[in-house]
Amino acid sequence: MRLRLTPREDSFYDMFADSANNLVTGARLLVELISDGADRAAIAEKMRACEHAGDECTHAIMRRLNETFITPFDREDIYRLASTIDDVMDEMEEAADLVALYEIDEFPAGIVDMVEVLERAAELTAEAMPRLRSMKELNEYWIEINRLENQGDQVYRKLLAKLFSGDYDTLTVLKLKQVIDRLEDAADAFEHVANTVETIAVKES
């Protein structure tokens, strides 16, 4: 593979911004997915396209990483950041796919709160990526993502309590729990992205 013996390659910043903006698209599709009267199969298809776009962003970053000699920050951190962003998209897409496959039409009320956590985390992540250039004003980002993840944990536990309350039949519980688990995993993955950004910022400070 040819190495670029040129000054530091800064296109990674734009690529991370594109990847994070794709998370916002995915999170907003989740909002549509759980709305009353939504065409869940069609939205799940849009989510698959969004996931494929995310994969393309990740592959582009990896290709650039392999071609670049001098990177804006540690190579392993570039790899980790790209991978953790990709993980978020994977979890959201899997949740949407399960909703469509299981033909779920009704959700516990608390699922709206969980999806709102993901939407806000996506917006904050997209806002943070351009700030990687200066490594400034990032601490509020990872602090807020941590708070949102804790909020998501609380919502998740309440959702589980609702599922196991006896209001749902066993099969419905199994279906809904798989979806809710994926949403919780997405919230955790957002925190992993923020933790990676914090690591990068500390190293570069």
Side-chain angles (χ1 to χ4, degrees):
M1 184 69 68
R2 182 175 62 86
L3 297 179
R4 298 184 179 187
L5 300 175
T6 58
R8 187 172 68 178
E9 175 60 76
D10 288 340
S11 63
F12 288 104
Y13 298 120
D14 292 332
M15 298 168 86
F16 281 125
D18 289 342
S19 191
N21 285 331
N22 193 54
L23 296 183
V24 176
T25 302
R28 289 175 180 169
L29 284 172
L30 285 180
V31 173
E32 292 182 36
L33 185 77
I34 63 171
S35 301
D36 292 339
D39 185 341
R40 306 195 203 287
I43 295 170
E45 186 62 34
K46 290 180 182 178
M47 184 68 89
R48 278 190 286 275
C50 192
E51 193 270 338
H52 290 323
D55 283 345
E56 284 301 312
C57 288
T58 303
H59 294 326
I61 291 170
M62 298 308 180
R63 286 194 297 270
R64 184 61 53 84
L65 187 60
N66 289 333
E67 296 169 356
T68 302
F69 184 64
I70 301 176
T71 56
F73 44 88
D74 285 352
R75 305 179 75 85
E76 60 268 26
D77 290 329
I78 291 175
Y79 177 85
R80 184 181 172 201
L81 184 56
S83 297
T84 52
I85 292 174
D86 190 60
D87 289 343
V88 176
M89 192 67 243
D90 287 346
E91 298 294 353
M92 293 195 296
E93 189 275 332
E94 186 172 347
D97 197 38
L98 288 170
V99 168
L101 288 173
Y102 291 156
E103 298 181 345
I104 299 173
D105 289 324
E106 295 184 9
F107 302 93
I111 205 166
V112 173
D113 298 326
M114 178 63 79
V115 171
E116 285 178 351
V117 165
L118 297 180
E119 183 181 26
R120 183 59 183 147
E123 291 168 351
L124 288 170
T125 301
E127 291 168 6
M129 289 302 109
R131 298 201 291 272
L132 286 172
R133 287 182 182 273
S134 64
M135 296 294 173
K136 295 178 180 179
E137 300 179 359
L138 282 166
N139 60 317
E140 291 183 2
Y141 155 65
W142 62 69
I143 289 171
E144 181 61 11
I145 290 291
N146 180 260
R147 188 195 68 79
L148 284 170
E149 196 277 331
N150 290 335
Q151 181 181 330
D153 284 343
Q154 294 173 357
V155 173
Y156 175 70
R157 290 191 290 268
K158 289 178 181 178
L159 281 168
L160 289 185
K162 179 64 175 175
L163 284 185
F164 297 133
S165 66
D167 293 344
Y168 300 91
D169 63 77
T170 302
L171 187 56
T172 299
V173 169
L174 291 173
K175 291 178 178 179
L176 286 172
K177 186 176 185 301
Q178 286 193 47
V179 173
I180 292 166
D181 284 347
R182 296 293 76 73
L183 297 178
E184 166 66 4
D185 289 343
D188 289 343
F190 269 118
E191 187 174 41
H192 296 159
V193 173
N195 290 342
T196 302
V197 170
E198 182 177 10
T199 297
I200 294 167
V202 169
K203 286 183 179 179
E204 295 297 314
S205 62

